[in-house]
Amino acid sequence: MAKYMFRTSYTQSGLKGLLAEGGTGREAALRETIEAAGGTLEGFYYAFGDCDLYLIADLPDEATATALSLNIAAAGALTVSVTVLLTAETVDEAVGKSVPYRLPGA
């Protein structure tokens, strides 16, 4: 399983739902959605700033993360963007790989 961070912002209709259900109600609904997709919700945080809500989820694969993002955004209550989160060990593995690359104009 890989970790993904979902950065979301409420639309007007989403805010109406949040006001009706409360923060814990929406957390339970999103936890249920992620678990139904075969994942686990590791973190759920409301925030001030560019995004209203951050979710950290363990998901089986990129296709699952994409399906969640598409379906949540298509419902119209949230805008969604997803970031794949990497472990330090994954970065160590990447650092150990040699990749041929030529600078532009070289």
Side-chain angles (χ1 to χ4, degrees), residues 5-8 43-47 50-56:
M5 177 175 58
F6 291 76
R7 294 177 317 283
T8 70
F44 184 96
Y45 302 96
Y46 286 100
D50 294 339
C51 296
D52 297 323
L53 178 61
Y54 291 88
L55 307 170
I56 307 293

Side-chain angles (χ1 to χ4, degrees), residues 77-100:
L78 294 169
T79 61
V80 181
S81 98
V82 182
T83 300
V84 179
L85 301 176
L86 306 173
T87 64
E89 293 78 16
T90 300
V91 172
D92 286 348
E93 183 180 341
V95 168
K97 294 186 181 218
S98 177
V99 177

Side-chain angles (χ1 to χ4, degrees), residues 59-84:
L59 298 170
D61 50 44
E62 290 178 358
T64 303
T66 302
L68 282 168
S69 177
L70 291 172
N71 283 279
I72 291 169
L78 294 169
T79 61
V80 181
S81 98
V82 182
T83 300
V84 179

